Amino acid sequence: MKPTRHLNRFAIVPLLAAALYAYAGGPKPTMLQGGDVAPKVADLKQVLPVPASGYVVNGVTRFDGWFLKADRLIFKKGATLMFTRQALASRRVFFIVAKSIEVEDPSAPGRITWEENPTAGAGATAGQAGTGAVNGGAGQPGAPGNDGPAGESTPSIQIAVLKFTGSGPSLDLQGQPGGTGGQGQKGGSGGPGSAGESASQSAFDCRRGAGNGGKGGPGGPGGVGGAPGRGGNGGTVTILSTADMMSTISTRVRVLVSGGVAGQPGAGGPGGDGGPGGPGGAQQLPWCRGDGSQGAVGDHGRDGPPGTADAGTRRGADGDFLLGAITADAFFGSIYGDH
């Protein structure tokens, strides 16, 4: 988390208070100092004023805007307020301004989150590696699989509220998991085996019978699976409220801003097919009868290994939980707009 910064303006919360807030189930908040609170207030002040009313979140309530203002923001049991893809198309920072945020059932307080697109997986590497040369050449190795697509990074949210009734809803702005790596390319087919020698005869007898065809070339190994997709970065949650609410917010509001985990590695590509056996040599009549036998099919190529699982380097960066104190006068005069 970011280091605590020093007070200058809007200084409401003593530095010692930050050390006393123990929060279980999420990151410890970084206490914003006065000079850092003021720009957050300015951000909220810039939004267009809208009339306030009660807003009830029931079930999964999809919100297409980027600014929600309410006298009372009420969460029914287990309800979810979801900022939609339409909202994301307008802004990457969402705003909630409310006199109070109320949870009806503390055992199922509900949550605030964003609408993710489904995590996609990478397609298999197209085509097939090259075929081996004639006379039993080995097929070419398959190319590695495509990297999995990165998970989407999370938007941020700023909340200005005077009061939380009971526990607040959880704020789930975790980064999206990465996608699965693509399958490796199929190994190339082995080349055809060599042709058997034709029989050889003299005027009186058969000097050499027809030779058998050569074995086909081995198939090439499949390509290694693609790397896991990187996880998306977590968002930033900023909550502004009065000094007496700091402890309540720190200990009761669950904030989830961890980076998304990496995806799964891709599967290895299939090994190439063995090449066809070469044709047998031709007979020579009248003394050398019988063509040579078709050569054996080449060995199948080995399947490629899966991609390497992530060891933590492809996890998204964690977001931030920022908490700042403002006065009620600042709330009404600079943010909410009226009493």
Side-chain angles (χ1 to χ4, degrees), residues 137-314:
Q140 298 298 307
N146 299 311
D147 286 0
E152 186 176 5
S153 292
T154 309
S156 296
I157 189 168
Q158 294 186 22
I159 299 174
V161 59
L162 286 181
K163 181 180 179 182
F164 279 95
T165 301
S167 63
S170 66
L171 292 155
D172 187 351
L173 296 182
Q174 299 176 93
Q176 187 180 35
T180 301
Q183 185 180 40
Q185 187 182 45
K186 182 177 181 179
S189 299
S194 58
E197 288 187 320
S198 296
S200 176
Q201 64 180 354
S202 70
F204 306 102
D205 59 6
C206 181
R207 294 180 177 179
R208 183 186 67 246
N212 296 328
K215 184 177 180 178
V224 64
R230 295 182 179 276
N233 298 332
T236 296
V237 172
T238 303
I239 302 179
L240 306 181
S241 191
T242 54
D244 62 314
M245 290 299 298
M246 295 293 100
S247 179
T248 297
I249 295 170
S250 297
T251 56
R252 296 184 186 178
V253 178
R254 189 178 186 211
V255 174
L256 305 171
V257 289
S258 58
V261 298
Q264 296 299 311
D273 300 322
Q283 65 181 350
Q284 296 291 330
L285 299 176
W287 304 117
C288 298
R289 295 182 177 274
D291 296 330
S293 299
Q294 179 87 15
V297 174
D299 297 329
H300 195 281
R302 67 179 184 277
D303 292 340
T308 303
D310 178 57
T313 60
R314 291 176 171 261

Side-chain angles (χ1 to χ4, degrees), residues 10 59 92 95 109 113 143 148 251 254 282 286 299 305 333:
F10 284 87
R92 296 291 299 180
F95 299 90
T113 191
T251 56
R254 189 178 186 211
D299 297 329

Side-chain angles (χ1 to χ4, degrees), residues 5-13 31-43 240 323-326:
R5 297 180 279 269
H6 295 291
L7 290 164
N8 44 41
R9 288 183 65 247
F10 284 87
I12 311 293
V13 184
M31 304 304 298
L32 291 173
Q33 306 306 308
D36 301 313
V37 174
K40 302 297 183 183
V41 173
D43 287 343
L240 306 181
L323 187 57
I326 56 174

Side-chain angles (χ1 to χ4, degrees), residues 75-92:
F75 284 80
K76 297 291 186 179
K77 180 177 180 178
T80 294
L81 174 62
M82 179 180 290
F83 286 91
T84 64
R85 302 302 301 182
Q86 180 175 329
L88 280 167
S90 300
R91 289 289 184 99
R92 296 291 299 180

